[in-house]
């Protein structure tokens, strides 16, 4: 199998993430579209401030639905309904910089700057800096998302496992674990966020 993708992220330095996508990209790409195509990506990683709500985020059904924080606050801010302006893309040296302004349904603006730098060994380094207004506190997520080919459904990661872990439920042995995308589904009574693995050092997806 082609082990072309090893994503990782780092949210320890404020509102920023770092994503590494090792892949065989022969030589310098003449434009960003071709570079992304060599990685199997139709588009660069996109800002993510939303995730599927958890039961702990608020009551989602019944007579008290929508009355509990923080889910009520997130939806009032419009985090689940982001819109983006046309990104500006500039190339300087061997790197591209994309700047995008996102707006929530309530009118809050978020600035997202992404730097994409091919590495000599064939990796492509993505650095994302996200500027979030101070009034948007306790967000459900600050990160990026991207879509990979469906065939890359085998997971291998270094971190707690092999079962699902959460920030408040991470009592799992540290090691290198294997799974598949389908096996990461957790059939909760109320469909919600699942397949989380906190404190993951690296993640590899292969076909």
């Amino acid at each position: 199998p082609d082990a072309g993708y090893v994503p990782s992220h780092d949210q320890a330095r404020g509102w920023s993430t770092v994503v590494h996508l090792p892949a065989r990209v022969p030589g310098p790409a003449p434009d960003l579209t071709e570079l992304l195509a060599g990685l199997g990506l139709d588009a660069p990683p996109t800002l993510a401030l939303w995730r599927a709500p958890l039961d702990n985020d608020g009551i989602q059904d019944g007579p008290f639905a929508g009355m509990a924080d923080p889910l009520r606050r997130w939806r009032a801010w419009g985090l689940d309904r982001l819109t983006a302006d046309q990104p500006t893309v500039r190339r300087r040296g061997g790197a591209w910089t994309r700047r995008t302004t996102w707006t929530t349904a309530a009118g809050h603006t978020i600035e997202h700057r992404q730097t994409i730098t091919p590495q000599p060994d064939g990796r492509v380094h993505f650095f994302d800096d996200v500027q979030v207004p101070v009034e948007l506190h306790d967000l459900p997520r600050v990160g990026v998302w991207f879509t990979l080919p469906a065939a890359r459904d085998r997971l291998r990661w270094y971190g707690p496992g092999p079962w699902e872990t959460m920030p408040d439920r991470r009592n799992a042995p540290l090691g290198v674990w294997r799974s598949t995308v389908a096996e990461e589904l957790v059939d909760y009574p109320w469909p919600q966020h699942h397949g989380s693995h906190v404190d993951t050092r690296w993640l590899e997806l292969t076909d």
Side-chain angles (χ1 to χ4, degrees):
D2 180 2
Y5 297 85
V6 183
S8 66
H9 73 276
D10 177 8
Q11 292 186 336
R13 292 172 291 177
W15 303 111
S16 62
T17 63
V18 179
V19 181
H20 299 273
L21 295 176
R24 292 190 292 272
V25 181
D31 58 49
L32 183 57
T33 301
E34 184 172 340
L35 175 69
L36 295 172
L39 298 171
L41 299 177
D42 294 329
T46 302
L47 177 68
L49 299 182
W50 184 258
R51 57 165 169 73
L54 306 174
D55 285 338
N56 291 345
D57 295 331
I59 301 172
Q60 303 181 53
D61 196 15
F64 299 104
M67 296 179 62
D69 288 331
L71 182 58
R72 179 183 61 176
R73 183 171 64 248
W74 295 343
R75 285 180 169 154
W77 289 339
L79 297 179
D80 56 338
R81 289 159 289 154
L82 295 177
T83 57
D85 66 0
Q86 183 64 34
T88 62
V89 181
R90 294 183 178 179
R91 185 173 186 178
R92 186 172 184 178
W96 287 268
T97 299
R98 299 178 76 252
R99 294 179 182 269
T100 309
T101 299
W102 294 81
T103 305
T104 72
H108 306 281
T109 58
I110 300 98
E111 300 296 332
H112 179 201
R113 184 183 67 184
Q114 183 176 74
T115 304
I116 305 170
T117 310
Q119 303 296 311
D121 60 3
R123 296 184 305 160
V124 180
H125 178 267
F126 291 78
F127 182 83
D128 295 83
D129 182 77
V130 181
Q131 301 296 322
V132 180
V134 294
E135 63 268 21
L136 298 183
H137 55 87
D138 188 26
L139 296 176
R141 168 165 294 164
V142 178
V144 293
W145 67 270
F146 51 90
T147 303
L148 295 176
R152 303 191 187 279
D153 64 346
R154 298 183 183 183
L155 283 66
R156 190 169 71 101
W157 75 93
Y158 174 49
W163 51 80
E164 180 183 65
T165 54
M166 297 287 185
D168 60 349
R169 182 166 52 85
R170 62 177 70 190
N171 186 20
L174 183 68
V176 177
W177 310 100
R178 296 178 184 269
S179 182
T180 66
V181 172
E183 290 171 348
E184 290 303 295
L185 173 65
V186 179
D187 192 19
Y188 288 114
W190 183 274
Q192 57 186 296
H193 178 72
H194 60 265
S196 176
H197 296 282
V198 300
D199 293 335
T200 296
R201 277 58 165 184
W202 55 258
L203 164 68
E204 180 182 71
L205 298 102
T206 62
D207 55 23

